[in-house]
């Protein structure tokens, strides 16, 4: 039997420059991520031009560090995998050029990988293989989607967000609450001090069996609440008397003044109640998808899969449905290149490699 192939993975689709070496699709030999968070924080979001420039500055040293940490020589690398879709086009191109250059120099094939599919594979890294068929819920800053997975490379889109991604809603609500960027980890942290039932923010489930998502409503409800405007949030205990709750909100002396008038406890309650609303929607849709497909394995992926409340809700759901739950290690939830190299191993095994004409695509919906 031949040795399991070692693949170099490169990821640069958004604001992380990453490289990793993975053997046999699951054994992570090295995993290097250069984050650009500090560069984008003062803008409250990723600035594409700044991101591309930072990728160019970081890519060579990140790849060199991944090779060095793995102890793997270039001659041992069987392929160079790279995220080529979807993402910021300028950012994708930096990783793609680096991958093609190395593939050409080492006489190995490049393998283009879809970033969202790679998130759906991350749970297999440094862990056992995923049992298929599975349902994968991928929630990150740019994507929120459900897939039926017949195998690591066989994904069928079941539903996706029609407006904001879940992580984007976390980031925007954190900005409303002045918690800094990126918002997901900040909300996750402060929500632990708050009461998730203090306020009832809307759960947008869309029509009956829909597996699509919408998170713009809950974000707007938080904005209205923080500004003391009558919106769609209501103090939980007043739900039986809806008119009274709205009147009380409208009468708030702080109307229009923003987050400054809230105490730390009130901010924590808003964060916890917002998080509870998002997690509820994700859990309900994941349950629907499991029921509709009959899949016995649930997979989570993407930055929001690092969220403590979501992980706990998924664990409870798996127990309820008697399904196996596959959660990626925290370091593999956020953007990384190990998931890219790992997934590419399955393309290599199936003979699905690319050549130097491999192109970058900013958007893909399938
Ligand atoms: O997967 P990722 O690194 O990048 C994209 O592909 O978009 O995800 C980043 C997103 C950000 O929106 C960030 O706020 C969110 O994941 N995130 C979290 C947590 N950690 C990161 N959201 C909620 N709770 C967390 N603990
Ligand atoms: Zn991602």
């Amino acid at each position: 039997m031949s040795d399991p192939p070692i693949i170099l993975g490169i990821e640069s689709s958004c604001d992380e420059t990453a490289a990793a070496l993975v053997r046999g699709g699951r054994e992570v030999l090295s995993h290097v991520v250069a984050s650009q968070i500090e560069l984008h924080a003062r803008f409250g979001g990723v600035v594409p031009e700044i991101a591309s420039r930072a990728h160019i500055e970081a890519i060579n040293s990140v790849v060199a560090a991944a090779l060095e940490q793995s102890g793997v020589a270039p001659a041992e690398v069987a392929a160079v995998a790279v995220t080529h879709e979807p993402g910021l086009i300028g950012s994708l191109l930096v990783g793609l050029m680096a991958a093609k250059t190395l593939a050409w120099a080492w006489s190995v094939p490049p393998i283009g990988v879809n970033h969202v599919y790679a998130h759906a594979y991350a749970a297999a890294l440094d862990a056992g293989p995923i049992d298929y068929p599975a349902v994968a819920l991928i929630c990150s800053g740019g994507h929120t989607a459900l897939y039926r997975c017949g195998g690591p490379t066989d994904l069928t889109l079941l539903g996706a967000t029609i407006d904001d991604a879940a992580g984007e809603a976390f980031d925007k609500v954190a900005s409303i609450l002045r918690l800094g960027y990126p918002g997901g980890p900040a909300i996750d942290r402060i929500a632990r001090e708050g009461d998730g039932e203090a306020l009832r923010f809307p759960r947008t489930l869309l029509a009956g069996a829909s597996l699509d998502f919408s998170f713009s409503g809950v974000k707007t409800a938080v904005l209205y609440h923080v500004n003391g405007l009558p919106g769609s949030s209501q103090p939980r205990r007043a739900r039986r008397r809806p008119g009274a709750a709205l009147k009380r909100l409208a009468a708030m002396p702080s109307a229009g003044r923003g987050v400054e008038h809230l105490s730390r406890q009130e901010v924590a309650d808003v964060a916890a109640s917002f998080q509870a609303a998002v997690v509820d929607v994700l859990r309900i849709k994941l349950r629907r998808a499991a029921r509709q497909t009959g899949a016995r394995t649930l997979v989570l992926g993407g930055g929001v899969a690092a969220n403590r409340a979501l992980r706990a809700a998924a664990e409870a759901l798996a127990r309820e449905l008697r399904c196996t739950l596959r959660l990626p290690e925290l370091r593999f939830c956020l953007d990384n290149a190990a998931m890219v190299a790992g997934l590419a191993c399955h393309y290599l095994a199936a003979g699905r490699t690319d050549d130097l004409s491999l192109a970058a695509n900013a958007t893909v919906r399938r």
Side-chain angles (χ1 to χ4, degrees):
M1 227 173 74
S2 57
D3 288 343
I6 296 174
I7 296 185
L8 166 66
I10 295 179
E11 156 65 42
S12 69
S13 64
C14 190
D15 60 343
E16 254 100 35
T17 319
L21 282 118
V22 176
R23 176 162 41 211
R26 288 187 285 113
E27 187 191 349
V28 181
L29 303 175
S30 66
H31 155 72
V32 177
V33 181
S35 171
Q36 304 176 4
I37 282 177
E38 279 175 20
L39 293 177
H40 301 287
R42 69 191 174 103
F43 300 103
V46 178
V47 182
E49 276 307 315
I50 294 177
S52 323
R53 184 182 291 259
H55 284 305
I56 290 171
E57 286 169 3
I59 190 84
N60 286 348
S61 55
V62 165
V63 170
L67 277 167
E68 193 188 321
Q69 285 177 24
S70 69
V72 170
E76 299 173 81
V77 174
V80 182
V82 60
T83 300
H84 76 123
E85 63 181 20
L88 300 170
I89 193 70
S91 293
L92 286 168
L93 283 168
V94 176
L96 188 61
M97 283 305 131
K100 283 188 192 179
T101 306
L102 290 171
W104 177 79
W106 297 344
S107 302
V108 296
I111 301 179
V113 169
N114 175 303
H115 179 80
V116 188
Y117 293 9
H119 273 307
Y121 182 77
L125 296 172
D126 278 345
I130 296 170
D131 274 335
Y132 294 99
V135 166
L137 171 63
I138 308 307
C139 353
S140 68
H143 316 275
T144 297
L146 274 162
Y147 291 89
R148 183 193 181 279
C149 312
T153 63
D154 169 21
L155 280 78
T156 308
L157 184 66
L158 301 171
T161 183
I162 59 168
D163 41 53
D164 291 355
E168 192 180 350
F170 269 93
D171 293 336
K172 287 176 177 168
V173 164
S175 156
I176 293 167
L177 297 177
R178 305 264 167 85
L179 294 174
Y181 174 85
I187 290 193
D188 195 345
R189 260 193 313 275
I190 197 168
R192 287 171 211 177
E193 300 165 28
D195 174 4
E197 299 199 347
L199 298 151
R200 178 79 186 173
F201 289 120
R203 276 82 169 146
T204 306
L205 295 172
L206 306 169
S210 169
L211 294 176
D212 285 333
F213 301 87
S214 166
F215 294 108
S216 66
V218 64
K219 173 196 67 187
T220 307
V222 172
L223 183 66
Y224 276 30
H225 176 77
V226 168
N227 283 306
L229 301 170
S232 32
S233 85
Q234 298 172 12
R236 180 89 176 191
R237 65 184 180 285
R239 266 201 300 160
R240 272 166 270 127
R241 297 179 292 118
L246 288 179
K247 265 189 218 146
R248 196 166 39 245
L249 276 176
M252 280 171 74
S254 52
R257 270 201 275 147
V259 73
E260 295 79 9
H261 72 275
L262 297 182
S263 67
R264 181 172 171 93
Q265 187 56 51
E266 284 168 326
V267 170
D269 286 347
V270 173
S273 300
F274 158 77
Q275 180 174 273
V278 172
V279 168
D280 257 5
V281 171
L282 294 172
R283 178 179 47 80
I284 290 166
K285 298 281 175 158
L286 182 57
R287 184 203 278 129
R288 265 186 206 171
R291 292 232 162 103
Q292 286 179 22
T293 59
R296 311 293 309 150
T297 304
L298 310 179
V299 176
L300 252 54
V304 183
N307 183 270
R308 233 168 63 128
L310 177 59
R311 290 171 88 90
E315 275 162 8
L317 178 64
R319 279 194 299 277
E320 175 199 327
L321 300 179
R322 294 175 202 281
C323 287
T324 304
L325 175 66
R326 299 300 305 267
L327 292 172
E329 279 182 33
L330 289 183
R331 63 195 178 128
F332 300 135
C333 288
L334 295 165
D335 286 350
N336 67 88
M339 64 184 189
V340 176
L343 179 55
C345 188
H346 297 272
Y347 288 115
L348 183 67
R352 286 166 59 185
T353 58
D354 293 292
D355 59 30
L356 296 180
S357 66
L358 180 64
N361 300 314
T363 32
V364 195
R365 189 185 155 101
R366 60 168 183 257

